[in-house]
Amino acid sequence: MVGVLLGLGTQMYSNALRKLPYMRHPWEHLLGMGLGAVFANQMVKWEVKAQEDLDKLLLKAKQANERRYFDDDED
């Protein structure tokens, strides 16, 4: 829903800047709403994947630090 509103708002803002009627070409509004919805869904998926990747990297760094500082005591 956020993406749909983003696309619609972008198209209406674009028409307002050019001093055109807000609903000049209705198909452009539909296209903007569709692209906005796709963009918002992809952004949510990317955010979840980025968080998973960050968690993996932090775990690897923690393990590397533990090996570096705690495993060398045996020397």
Side-chain angles (χ1 to χ4, degrees):
M1 190 53 126
V2 171
V4 170
L5 292 175
L6 176 69
L8 178 64
T10 301
Q11 185 60 38
M12 291 182 79
Y13 183 69
S14 172
N15 284 350
L17 282 178
R18 296 183 288 163
K19 298 187 185 207
L20 298 172
Y22 289 122
M23 298 298 271
R24 181 170 178 230
H25 295 134
W27 63 86
E28 290 178 354
H29 291 73
L30 289 175
L31 182 65
M33 289 177 359
L35 290 174
V38 169
F39 173 75
N41 287 333
Q42 292 299 322
M43 196 164 70
V44 168
K45 289 179 185 176
W46 177 80
E47 186 177 355
V48 169
K49 178 145 178 37
Q51 185 63 44
E52 289 173 357
D53 291 344
L54 178 63
D55 291 342
K56 287 179 188 176
L57 286 173
L58 290 174
L59 181 63
K60 284 182 184 179
K62 182 180 177 184
Q63 290 171 347
N65 282 336
E66 287 174 353
R67 281 193 309 269
R68 181 182 197 187
Y69 291 112
F70 298 122
D71 289 345
D72 286 343
D73 291 339
E74 297 167 3
D75 290 337

